[in-house]
Amino acid sequence: MTRLSEETALGLAWIIAFTSSLAVLFVGEVLGQAPCVLCWFQRAFMFPLAIVLGLGLWWQDPRVGRYGVALALGGAAVAFWHMGLYVGLIPERIQPCMATGPSCTDDNQLLFGIPIPLMALVAFALIGLLSALSLKEKQI
């Protein structure tokens, strides 16, 4: 079985980060669904991932994957917490920014029948894995 090259792994990580960033912008700006508090925190990790990984590819920086791993771990932690709230594993409900703000746990967190926190968790996990794969040590 052939293995991914470092550049291919990094390129795939960037594609996932870029597509995820465009998707959340589409949901928020085009579909008009305001993000909940935890979605904002997840965005705070996803948007820089698309920029940092893209610049790393542009500049052919073989070590940029380390930043991808760090940002993906932070985003995955928030997405994991959000998923725990969504499915009821974490009993504490996070209050929205304002009384009329979106909830972190209601049916507005579904897109195509899939919970948005689950999609975010999978995206962050894939980006982190691919970023780590891009950091393979060179053999001398």
Side-chain angles (χ1 to χ4, degrees):
M1 181 172 149
T2 60
R3 298 194 67 151
L4 288 177
S5 71
E6 291 88 349
E7 190 171 274
T8 301
L10 197 58
L12 290 172
W14 174 76
I15 288 170
I16 294 168
F18 186 70
T19 304
S20 297
S21 295
L22 289 178
V24 298
L25 286 173
F26 179 81
V27 168
E29 301 304 320
V30 177
L31 297 181
Q33 181 176 328
C36 71
V37 174
L38 290 175
C39 287
W40 275 115
F41 292 146
Q42 290 168 56
R43 286 177 176 202
F45 286 98
M46 188 61 75
F47 292 162
L49 267 167
I51 294 167
V52 169
L53 294 176
L55 289 174
L57 283 167
W58 179 269
W59 290 323
Q60 298 176 347
D61 181 356
R63 303 298 295 162
V64 74
R66 59 188 161 178
Y67 305 115
V69 170
L71 286 167
L73 285 173
V78 175
F80 186 74
W81 179 265
H82 194 178
M83 194 62 205
L85 280 172
Y86 182 81
V87 299
L89 292 176
I90 299 171
E92 176 187 356
R93 294 181 62 90
I94 301 294
Q95 297 299 318
C97 294
M98 53 190 163
T100 60
S103 168
C104 292
T105 58
D106 68 8
D107 285 338
N108 284 335
Q109 293 298 318
L110 290 174
L111 189 62
F112 306 117
I114 302 169
I116 293 173
L118 179 60
M119 285 190 249
L121 183 59
V122 169
F124 281 120
L126 286 173
I127 292 166
L129 176 67
L130 289 165
S131 293
L133 289 174
S134 77
L135 296 172
K136 292 186 270 185
E137 294 295 320
K138 303 282 185 203
Q139 297 294 328
I140 300 177

